[in-house]
mmCIF file of all heavy atoms in Angstrom:
data_model
loop_
_atom_site.group_PDB
_atom_site.id
_atom_site.type_symbol
_atom_site.label_atom_id
_atom_site.label_comp_id
_atom_site.label_asym_id
_atom_site.label_seq_id
_atom_site.Cartn_x
_atom_site.Cartn_y
_atom_site.Cartn_z
ATOM 1 N N GLN F 190 30.120 -24.514 45.611
ATOM 2 C CA GLN F 190 30.130 -25.734 44.577
ATOM 3 C C GLN F 190 29.381 -25.320 43.385
ATOM 4 O O GLN F 190 28.752 -24.272 43.274
ATOM 5 C CB GLN F 190 29.212 -26.878 45.291
ATOM 6 C CG GLN F 190 29.692 -27.263 46.643
ATOM 7 C CD GLN F 190 31.082 -27.831 46.636
ATOM 8 O OE1 GLN F 190 31.396 -28.646 45.832
ATOM 9 N NE2 GLN F 190 31.857 -27.462 47.604
ATOM 10 N N PRO F 191 29.593 -26.088 42.274
ATOM 11 C CA PRO F 191 28.890 -25.761 40.952
ATOM 12 C C PRO F 191 27.421 -25.742 41.158
ATOM 13 O O PRO F 191 26.934 -26.403 42.149
ATOM 14 C CB PRO F 191 29.245 -27.071 40.100
ATOM 15 C CG PRO F 191 30.607 -27.432 40.680
ATOM 16 C CD PRO F 191 30.401 -27.207 42.227
ATOM 17 N N PRO F 192 26.688 -25.095 40.642
ATOM 18 C CA PRO F 192 27.098 -24.137 39.551
ATOM 19 C C PRO F 192 27.574 -22.832 39.816
ATOM 20 O O PRO F 192 28.091 -22.024 39.096
ATOM 21 C CB PRO F 192 25.747 -24.024 38.701
ATOM 22 C CG PRO F 192 24.719 -24.026 39.695
ATOM 23 C CD PRO F 192 25.116 -25.036 40.783
ATOM 24 N N SER F 193 27.415 -22.436 41.219
ATOM 25 C CA SER F 193 27.776 -21.127 41.547
ATOM 26 C C SER F 193 29.356 -20.968 41.625
ATOM 27 O O SER F 193 29.842 -19.959 41.062
ATOM 28 C CB SER F 193 27.393 -20.785 43.115
ATOM 29 O OG SER F 193 25.992 -20.918 43.135
ATOM 30 N N ASN F 194 30.123 -21.856 42.195
ATOM 31 C CA ASN F 194 31.587 -21.759 42.375
ATOM 32 C C ASN F 194 32.027 -20.390 42.771
ATOM 33 O O ASN F 194 33.022 -19.816 42.349
ATOM 34 C CB ASN F 194 32.221 -22.133 40.968
ATOM 35 C CG ASN F 194 32.113 -23.577 40.697
ATOM 36 O OD1 ASN F 194 32.036 -24.393 41.591
ATOM 37 N ND2 ASN F 194 32.089 -23.905 39.388
ATOM 38 N N PHE F 195 31.374 -19.799 43.709
ATOM 39 C CA PHE F 195 31.614 -18.499 44.191
ATOM 40 C C PHE F 195 33.066 -18.654 44.819
ATOM 41 O O PHE F 195 33.348 -19.471 45.670
ATOM 42 C CB PHE F 195 30.622 -18.118 45.244
ATOM 43 C CG PHE F 195 30.529 -16.656 45.551
ATOM 44 C CD1 PHE F 195 30.095 -15.743 44.529
ATOM 45 C CD2 PHE F 195 30.809 -16.219 46.796
ATOM 46 C CE1 PHE F 195 29.950 -14.372 44.890
ATOM 47 C CE2 PHE F 195 30.797 -14.844 47.083
ATOM 48 C CZ PHE F 195 30.414 -13.941 46.121
ATOM 49 N N PRO F 196 33.940 -17.636 44.528
ATOM 50 C CA PRO F 196 35.288 -17.753 45.035
ATOM 51 C C PRO F 196 35.423 -17.467 46.541
ATOM 52 O O PRO F 196 34.875 -16.586 47.065
ATOM 53 C CB PRO F 196 36.049 -16.629 44.375
ATOM 54 C CG PRO F 196 35.185 -16.031 43.313
ATOM 55 C CD PRO F 196 33.799 -16.583 43.642
ATOM 56 N N GLY F 197 36.156 -18.433 47.194
ATOM 57 C CA GLY F 197 36.402 -18.354 48.732
ATOM 58 C C GLY F 197 36.996 -17.107 49.206
ATOM 59 O O GLY F 197 36.650 -16.454 50.179
ATOM 60 N N ASP F 198 38.058 -16.599 48.404
ATOM 61 C CA ASP F 198 38.705 -15.334 48.805
ATOM 62 C C ASP F 198 37.738 -14.139 48.806
ATOM 63 O O ASP F 198 37.855 -13.284 49.627
ATOM 64 C CB ASP F 198 39.958 -15.026 47.885
ATOM 65 C CG ASP F 198 41.046 -15.908 48.173
ATOM 66 O OD1 ASP F 198 41.267 -16.189 49.449
ATOM 67 O OD2 ASP F 198 41.786 -16.319 47.240
ATOM 68 N N PHE F 199 36.755 -14.067 47.855
ATOM 69 C CA PHE F 199 35.859 -13.007 47.740
ATOM 70 C C PHE F 199 34.930 -13.088 49.082
ATOM 71 O O PHE F 199 34.495 -12.070 49.595
ATOM 72 C CB PHE F 199 35.192 -13.064 46.404
ATOM 73 C CG PHE F 199 34.217 -11.871 46.223
ATOM 74 C CD1 PHE F 199 34.696 -10.632 45.965
ATOM 75 C CD2 PHE F 199 32.873 -12.045 46.292
ATOM 76 C CE1 PHE F 199 33.802 -9.542 45.864
ATOM 77 C CE2 PHE F 199 31.872 -10.987 46.201
ATOM 78 C CZ PHE F 199 32.504 -9.746 45.948
ATOM 79 N N ALA F 200 34.418 -14.410 49.185
ATOM 80 C CA ALA F 200 33.600 -14.498 50.330
ATOM 81 C C ALA F 200 34.164 -14.191 51.578
ATOM 82 O O ALA F 200 33.596 -13.569 52.553
ATOM 83 C CB ALA F 200 33.129 -16.105 50.345
ATOM 84 N N TRP F 201 35.500 -14.566 51.920
ATOM 85 C CA TRP F 201 36.179 -14.233 53.019
ATOM 86 C C TRP F 201 36.350 -12.698 53.141
ATOM 87 O O TRP F 201 36.154 -12.137 54.266
ATOM 88 C CB TRP F 201 37.546 -14.920 53.081
ATOM 89 C CG TRP F 201 38.322 -14.324 54.248
ATOM 90 C CD1 TRP F 201 39.402 -13.406 54.100
ATOM 91 C CD2 TRP F 201 38.160 -14.583 55.639
ATOM 92 N NE1 TRP F 201 39.813 -12.979 55.372
ATOM 93 C CE2 TRP F 201 39.112 -13.743 56.218
ATOM 94 C CE3 TRP F 201 37.270 -15.265 56.357
ATOM 95 C CZ2 TRP F 201 39.202 -13.649 57.728
ATOM 96 C CZ3 TRP F 201 37.457 -15.201 57.753
ATOM 97 C CH2 TRP F 201 38.367 -14.455 58.394
ATOM 98 N N SER F 202 36.663 -12.084 52.111
ATOM 99 C CA SER F 202 36.863 -10.581 52.160
ATOM 100 C C SER F 202 35.640 -9.857 52.612
ATOM 101 O O SER F 202 35.592 -8.966 53.376
ATOM 102 C CB SER F 202 37.247 -10.128 50.669
ATOM 103 O OG SER F 202 37.357 -8.772 50.666
ATOM 104 N N ASN F 203 34.402 -10.302 52.067
ATOM 105 C CA ASN F 203 33.152 -9.794 52.489
ATOM 106 C C ASN F 203 32.899 -10.073 54.007
ATOM 107 O O ASN F 203 32.459 -9.123 54.702
ATOM 108 C CB ASN F 203 32.089 -10.324 51.663
ATOM 109 C CG ASN F 203 32.072 -9.726 50.240
ATOM 110 O OD1 ASN F 203 32.595 -8.621 49.973
ATOM 111 N ND2 ASN F 203 31.519 -10.337 49.314
ATOM 112 N N LEU F 204 33.046 -11.282 54.421
ATOM 113 C CA LEU F 204 32.886 -11.623 55.829
ATOM 114 C C LEU F 204 33.778 -10.934 56.757
ATOM 115 O O LEU F 204 33.398 -10.303 57.806
ATOM 116 C CB LEU F 204 33.093 -13.173 55.917
ATOM 117 C CG LEU F 204 32.872 -13.659 57.372
ATOM 118 C CD1 LEU F 204 31.237 -13.593 57.765
ATOM 119 C CD2 LEU F 204 33.258 -15.115 57.500
ATOM 120 N N ASN F 205 35.128 -10.796 56.298
ATOM 121 C CA ASN F 205 35.988 -10.098 57.116
ATOM 122 C C ASN F 205 35.641 -8.631 57.283
ATOM 123 O O ASN F 205 35.830 -8.041 58.380
ATOM 124 C CB ASN F 205 37.429 -10.249 56.572
ATOM 125 C CG ASN F 205 38.533 -9.958 57.471
ATOM 126 O OD1 ASN F 205 38.583 -10.301 58.753
ATOM 127 N ND2 ASN F 205 39.374 -9.155 57.038
ATOM 128 N N LYS F 206 35.285 -8.041 56.246
ATOM 129 C CA LYS F 206 34.923 -6.619 56.221
ATOM 130 C C LYS F 206 33.713 -6.362 57.161
ATOM 131 O O LYS F 206 33.726 -5.503 58.033
ATOM 132 C CB LYS F 206 34.644 -6.047 54.805
ATOM 133 C CG LYS F 206 34.192 -4.667 54.763
ATOM 134 C CD LYS F 206 33.890 -4.242 53.404
ATOM 135 C CE LYS F 206 33.428 -2.790 53.245
ATOM 136 N NZ LYS F 206 33.067 -2.413 51.956
ATOM 137 N N LYS F 207 32.767 -7.213 57.092
ATOM 138 C CA LYS F 207 31.569 -7.189 57.907
ATOM 139 C C LYS F 207 31.870 -7.369 59.389
ATOM 140 O O LYS F 207 31.431 -6.649 60.231
ATOM 141 C CB LYS F 207 30.561 -8.321 57.496
ATOM 142 C CG LYS F 207 29.405 -8.547 58.455
ATOM 143 C CD LYS F 207 28.560 -9.710 57.946
ATOM 144 C CE LYS F 207 27.547 -10.031 59.086
ATOM 145 N NZ LYS F 207 26.645 -11.145 58.680
ATOM 146 N N CYS F 208 32.802 -8.306 59.613
ATOM 147 C CA CYS F 208 33.219 -8.541 61.120
ATOM 148 C C CYS F 208 34.013 -7.352 61.634
ATOM 149 O O CYS F 208 33.845 -6.931 62.780
ATOM 150 C CB CYS F 208 34.083 -9.720 61.090
ATOM 151 S SG CYS F 208 33.140 -11.272 60.974
ATOM 152 N N ASN F 209 34.849 -6.818 60.774
ATOM 153 C CA ASN F 209 35.694 -5.686 61.460
ATOM 154 C C ASN F 209 34.842 -4.395 61.668
ATOM 155 O O ASN F 209 35.014 -3.701 62.598
ATOM 156 C CB ASN F 209 36.789 -5.306 60.345
ATOM 157 C CG ASN F 209 37.886 -6.302 60.553
ATOM 158 O OD1 ASN F 209 38.463 -6.683 61.447
ATOM 159 N ND2 ASN F 209 38.414 -6.685 59.369
ATOM 160 N N ILE F 210 33.782 -4.176 60.785
ATOM 161 C CA ILE F 210 32.833 -3.094 60.894
ATOM 162 C C ILE F 210 32.103 -3.391 62.243
ATOM 163 O O ILE F 210 31.942 -2.527 63.164
ATOM 164 C CB ILE F 210 31.863 -2.983 59.724
ATOM 165 C CG1 ILE F 210 32.613 -2.329 58.573
ATOM 166 C CG2 ILE F 210 30.712 -2.039 60.136
ATOM 167 C CD1 ILE F 210 31.851 -2.428 57.159
ATOM 168 N N GLY F 211 31.511 -4.677 62.422
ATOM 169 C CA GLY F 211 30.851 -5.086 63.526
ATOM 170 C C GLY F 211 31.564 -4.927 64.823
ATOM 171 O O GLY F 211 31.070 -4.283 65.814
ATOM 172 N N MET F 212 32.875 -5.433 64.870
ATOM 173 C CA MET F 212 33.599 -5.377 66.136
ATOM 174 C C MET F 212 33.785 -3.858 66.511
ATOM 175 O O MET F 212 33.659 -3.575 67.775
ATOM 176 C CB MET F 212 34.979 -6.066 65.924
ATOM 177 C CG MET F 212 34.837 -7.543 65.883
ATOM 178 S SD MET F 212 36.443 -8.407 65.827
ATOM 179 C CE MET F 212 37.030 -7.935 64.170
ATOM 180 N N LYS F 213 34.140 -2.957 65.543
ATOM 181 C CA LYS F 213 34.354 -1.697 65.988
ATOM 182 C C LYS F 213 33.175 -0.959 66.407
ATOM 183 O O LYS F 213 33.141 -0.208 67.421
ATOM 184 C CB LYS F 213 34.858 -0.893 64.594
ATOM 185 C CG LYS F 213 35.243 0.553 64.847
ATOM 186 C CD LYS F 213 35.706 1.149 63.584
ATOM 187 C CE LYS F 213 35.978 2.670 63.827
ATOM 188 N NZ LYS F 213 36.524 3.260 62.605
ATOM 189 N N LYS F 214 32.041 -1.234 65.743
ATOM 190 C CA LYS F 214 30.719 -0.722 66.133
ATOM 191 C C LYS F 214 30.306 -1.071 67.508
ATOM 192 O O LYS F 214 29.793 -0.379 68.285
ATOM 193 C CB LYS F 214 29.684 -1.249 65.090
ATOM 194 C CG LYS F 214 28.171 -0.684 65.347
ATOM 195 C CD LYS F 214 27.322 -1.321 64.221
ATOM 196 C CE LYS F 214 25.867 -0.975 64.435
ATOM 197 N NZ LYS F 214 25.187 -1.459 63.251
ATOM 198 N N TRP F 215 30.418 -2.465 67.811
ATOM 199 C CA TRP F 215 29.969 -2.990 69.124
ATOM 200 C C TRP F 215 30.854 -2.569 70.241
ATOM 201 O O TRP F 215 30.450 -2.261 71.342
ATOM 202 C CB TRP F 215 29.829 -4.455 69.093
ATOM 203 C CG TRP F 215 28.867 -4.939 67.919
ATOM 204 C CD1 TRP F 215 29.202 -5.873 66.969
ATOM 205 C CD2 TRP F 215 27.617 -4.462 67.623
ATOM 206 N NE1 TRP F 215 28.088 -6.041 66.190
ATOM 207 C CE2 TRP F 215 27.124 -5.157 66.478
ATOM 208 C CE3 TRP F 215 26.753 -3.488 68.268
ATOM 209 C CZ2 TRP F 215 25.864 -4.896 65.918
ATOM 210 C CZ3 TRP F 215 25.504 -3.231 67.768
ATOM 211 C CH2 TRP F 215 25.098 -3.990 66.645
ATOM 212 N N ILE F 216 32.188 -2.332 70.039
ATOM 213 C CA ILE F 216 33.045 -1.898 71.116
ATOM 214 C C ILE F 216 32.684 -0.400 71.336
ATOM 215 O O ILE F 216 32.577 -0.015 72.509
ATOM 216 C CB ILE F 216 34.489 -1.872 70.670
ATOM 217 C CG1 ILE F 216 34.911 -3.425 70.725
ATOM 218 C CG2 ILE F 216 35.394 -1.072 71.551
ATOM 219 C CD1 ILE F 216 36.346 -3.703 70.246
ATOM 220 N N ALA F 217 32.370 0.420 70.287
ATOM 221 C CA ALA F 217 31.955 1.779 70.570
ATOM 222 C C ALA F 217 30.679 1.901 71.305
ATOM 223 O O ALA F 217 30.496 2.753 72.099
ATOM 224 C CB ALA F 217 31.865 2.454 69.112
ATOM 225 N N ARG F 218 29.745 0.964 71.031
ATOM 226 C CA ARG F 218 28.411 0.998 71.596
ATOM 227 C C ARG F 218 28.393 0.424 73.015
ATOM 228 O O ARG F 218 27.692 0.953 73.883
ATOM 229 C CB ARG F 218 27.406 0.372 70.683
ATOM 230 C CG ARG F 218 25.994 0.563 71.280
ATOM 231 C CD ARG F 218 24.869 0.074 70.252
ATOM 232 N NE ARG F 218 24.863 0.795 69.191
ATOM 233 C CZ ARG F 218 24.371 0.574 67.962
ATOM 234 N NH1 ARG F 218 23.647 -0.571 67.893
ATOM 235 N NH2 ARG F 218 24.317 1.340 66.915
ATOM 236 N N TYR F 219 29.125 -0.650 73.240
ATOM 237 C CA TYR F 219 29.007 -1.347 74.508
ATOM 238 C C TYR F 219 30.225 -1.594 75.289
ATOM 239 O O TYR F 219 30.229 -2.050 76.443
ATOM 240 C CB TYR F 219 28.454 -2.830 74.247
ATOM 241 C CG TYR F 219 27.081 -2.896 73.595
ATOM 242 C CD1 TYR F 219 26.910 -3.111 72.205
ATOM 243 C CD2 TYR F 219 25.906 -2.360 74.241
ATOM 244 C CE1 TYR F 219 25.701 -3.157 71.657
ATOM 245 C CE2 TYR F 219 24.604 -2.355 73.609
ATOM 246 C CZ TYR F 219 24.585 -2.716 72.401
ATOM 247 O OH TYR F 219 23.280 -2.752 71.735
ATOM 248 N N GLY F 220 31.384 -1.201 74.668
ATOM 249 C CA GLY F 220 32.672 -1.315 75.240
ATOM 250 C C GLY F 220 32.740 -0.580 76.672
ATOM 251 O O GLY F 220 32.274 0.549 76.762
ATOM 252 N N GLY F 221 33.312 -1.152 77.748
ATOM 253 C CA GLY F 221 33.531 -0.578 78.978
ATOM 254 C C GLY F 221 32.321 -0.345 79.866
ATOM 255 O O GLY F 221 32.389 0.333 80.877
ATOM 256 N N GLN F 222 31.208 -0.983 79.514
ATOM 257 C CA GLN F 222 30.024 -0.746 80.171
ATOM 258 C C GLN F 222 29.872 -1.798 81.404
ATOM 259 O O GLN F 222 28.732 -1.759 82.052
ATOM 260 C CB GLN F 222 28.824 -0.854 79.364
ATOM 261 C CG GLN F 222 28.653 0.229 78.321
ATOM 262 C CD GLN F 222 27.309 0.290 77.631
ATOM 263 O OE1 GLN F 222 26.374 -0.481 77.970
ATOM 264 N NE2 GLN F 222 27.270 0.972 76.526
ATOM 265 N N ASN F 223 30.779 -2.622 81.679
ATOM 266 C CA ASN F 223 30.677 -3.667 82.723
ATOM 267 C C ASN F 223 29.446 -4.455 82.617
ATOM 268 O O ASN F 223 28.761 -4.659 83.571
ATOM 269 C CB ASN F 223 30.779 -2.949 84.049
ATOM 270 C CG ASN F 223 32.136 -2.298 84.301
ATOM 271 O OD1 ASN F 223 33.229 -2.917 83.865
ATOM 272 N ND2 ASN F 223 32.211 -1.166 84.896
#
Side-chain angles (χ1 to χ4, degrees):
Q190 307 298 317
S193 300
N194 288 332
F195 200 68
D198 283 323
F199 186 73
W201 169 255
S202 178
N203 287 337
L204 180 67
N205 193 48
K206 180 179 178 182
K207 173 185 170 180
C208 287
N209 284 319
I210 290 168
M212 288 184 293
K213 184 178 177 182
K214 178 179 175 179
W215 305 128
I216 287 173
R218 187 170 296 164
Y219 301 108
Q222 291 189 15
N223 294 321

